[in-house]
Structures are given as structure tokens and as C-alpha cells.
């Protein structure tokens, strides 16, 4: 998988997870201001990540380039939305799991 595709998929997945979280936790059909800030921040971090080509996904990154407050927020979103992805976007959820496993095996082999 090339870096651009991987980067775009990571952003797409995180944005969807934030939207699911916001809809269920804040009752908003569009992103509330707090979730919109988190989404913009997460997208910006993905755009500037120097490790995108060699890491699996942000959720399993060991560098943690997010500010602490944003890292806490994104972790809460991931814990809430991760299991729900299967109900909202099963193809994306399965693709994410498969790609994560492939990337982990590739990293272990190096």
C-alpha cells in the first residue's frame, strides 16, 4: 500500500469514527464544534506524519505526536467508535483490521 493511499485511508477512518462518536455522544447530525476541532487536528497530524510510510496506523503508533489533550480525546473516540464501526461501515472496519494485520506482520518481519 503506498503512503498516499494509507494516509487518506487513515484520515477517512478517523473522521468517520469522530462522526459516529459525535452523533451518539453529542446528538449532532453534523460535527459539533469540539468534534470538528478534533477532526481537523487529527487530519493535520496525519498529513504531516513523517512515519506514515513505516508504521501501521495512528491507533497503534508508538510515537504519539498528538498533544496530550487531543490524544486523550482521540482515544475516547476510538474506544467508543471502534466496536461500532462494524455496524455503520462493515467493509471499512474489515478492511482496517486486515490491513492492520498485514502491516504488523510486515513490521515484525523487518
Amino acid at each position: 500500500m503506498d503512503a498516499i493511499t494509507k494516509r487518506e485511508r487513515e484520515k477517512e477512518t478517523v473522521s468517520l469514527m469522530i462522526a459516529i462518536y459525535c452523533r451518539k455522544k453529542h446528538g449532532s447530525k453534523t460535527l459539533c464544534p469540539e468534534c470538528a476541532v478534533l477532526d481537523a487536528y487529527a487530519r493535520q497530524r496525519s498529513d504531516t506524519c513523517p512515519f506514515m510510510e513505516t508504521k501501521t496506523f495512528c491507533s497503534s503508533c508508538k510515537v504519539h505526536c498528538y498533544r496530550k489533550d487531543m490524544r486523550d480525546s482521540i482515544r475516547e473516540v476510538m474506544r467508543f467508535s471502534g466496536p461500532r464501526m462494524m455496524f455503520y461501515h462493515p467493509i471499512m472496519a474489515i478492511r482496517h483490521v486486515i490491513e492492520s494485520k498485514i502491516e504488523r506482520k510486515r513490521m515484525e518481519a523487518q
Side-chain angles (χ1 to χ4, degrees):
M1 178 184 327
D2 65 50
I4 294 171
T5 301
K6 186 182 206 180
R7 201 175 296 268
E8 289 306 313
R9 283 187 178 173
E10 179 77 14
K11 291 190 308 188
E12 178 185 0
T13 301
V14 170
S15 288
L16 177 61
M17 292 176 91
I18 292 170
I20 291 169
Y21 177 86
C22 190
R23 189 176 311 125
K24 294 297 182 182
K25 291 287 190 167
H26 303 144
S28 181
K29 292 188 184 197
T30 60
L31 291 181
C32 71
E34 179 184 336
C35 290
V37 167
L38 180 60
D39 184 53
Y41 183 81
R43 288 178 158 279
Q44 183 270 333
R45 296 312 304 166
S46 289
D47 282 339
T48 59
C49 178
F51 306 106
M52 189 62 71
E53 293 79 17
T54 58
K55 71 178 184 177
T56 54
F57 292 93
C58 287
S59 58
S60 59
C61 184
K62 303 297 183 217
V63 175
H64 301 301
C65 61
Y66 281 36
R67 289 187 332 244
K68 180 165 180 4
D69 61 326
M70 291 296 197
R71 185 170 55 238
D72 293 343
S73 295
I74 202 70
R75 282 183 176 156
E76 182 179 342
V77 166
M78 299 279 176
R79 278 191 296 272
F80 180 85
S81 299
R84 289 162 178 81
M85 287 288 288
M86 206 56 176
F87 299 109
Y88 288 93
H89 292 280
I91 292 172
M92 182 184 282
I94 291 168
R95 181 184 71 205
H96 186 73
V97 168
I98 291 169
E99 288 174 356
S100 293
K101 287 185 181 275
I102 290 169
E103 285 292 315
R104 282 187 188 113
K105 283 183 181 180
R106 185 181 66 79
M107 295 302 288
E108 289 170 0
Q110 290 181 350

